[in-house]
Amino acid sequence: MLNRNQDMLGITLGTGVGAGVIFNGQLYSGKHCAAGEIGSLSYRDGIIEHYCSGQYFTTHHHMSGEHLYQKACEGDSQALQAFAHFGEHLAHMIAQTLLVYDPKDIVLGGSVSQSFPFFIEALKQKLQSLVYGPQLADLTISASQHHNAALIGAAQWFLQQKSSDFN
């Protein structure tokens, strides 16, 4: 259960990138339900989603993220390097979201988040060069243990909307 004063982002890394924005313990969707569309932000020669989702692995490493994950589990150095590069790209995305939302907690979900142990160190290291120190001091970044985090978030949003219809 969310703390009433909790501000956090739930970021889904799968075939695309999206976020659930939580302010004061409530899911915030914005006027046009686009408050978490961080995958569409500009980055390099395209958008964030091209570098921070499963698309990255097939486009830049010519393998599925799942295949690279298996290879990384076996200690394959090229697969481990692919995840380190992914973590650096993800750090750029998180740096942008820190400037916009300034959350206390970031929880990563979606299929790519199972690879968290392979990219977290590169992500943290790159973040230190991108973000003002005090913002990182009490920031927590973790991987969700729920495989259906995006679905749970969508259900929460629906229930929150239904609840507000009765008030």
Side-chain angles (χ1 to χ4, degrees), residues 104-143:
K104 181 182 179 322
D105 300 300
I106 295 176
V107 178
L108 304 175
S111 59
V112 180
S113 70
Q114 74 176 348
S115 307
F116 186 75
F118 297 125
F119 63 77
I120 186 59
E121 289 309 314
L123 184 154
K124 286 181 176 180
Q125 186 174 3
K126 186 66 174 178
L127 264 180
Q128 290 179 357
S129 69
L130 298 172
V131 177
Y132 179 59
Q135 274 189 300
L136 293 178
D138 62 351
L139 175 69
T140 61
I141 300 173
S142 59

Side-chain angles (χ1 to χ4, degrees), residues 20-76:
V21 181
I22 310 290
F23 288 129
N24 294 321
Q26 294 290 312
L27 188 61
Y28 175 73
S29 59
K31 182 178 177 183
H32 299 103
C33 203
E37 293 298 331
I38 60 177
S40 296
L41 295 172
S42 295
Y43 180 65
R44 291 192 167 201
D45 60 345
I47 59 175
I48 291 274
E49 200 163 272
H50 297 156
Y51 292 88
C52 296
S53 72
Q55 295 176 40
Y56 170 74
F57 302 109
T58 54
T59 302
H60 297 278
H61 297 280
H62 311 293
M63 284 185 233
S64 71
E66 185 177 358
H67 185 73
L68 277 166
Y69 173 75
Q70 292 303 321
K71 290 179 74 131
C73 287
E74 296 166 2
D76 182 272

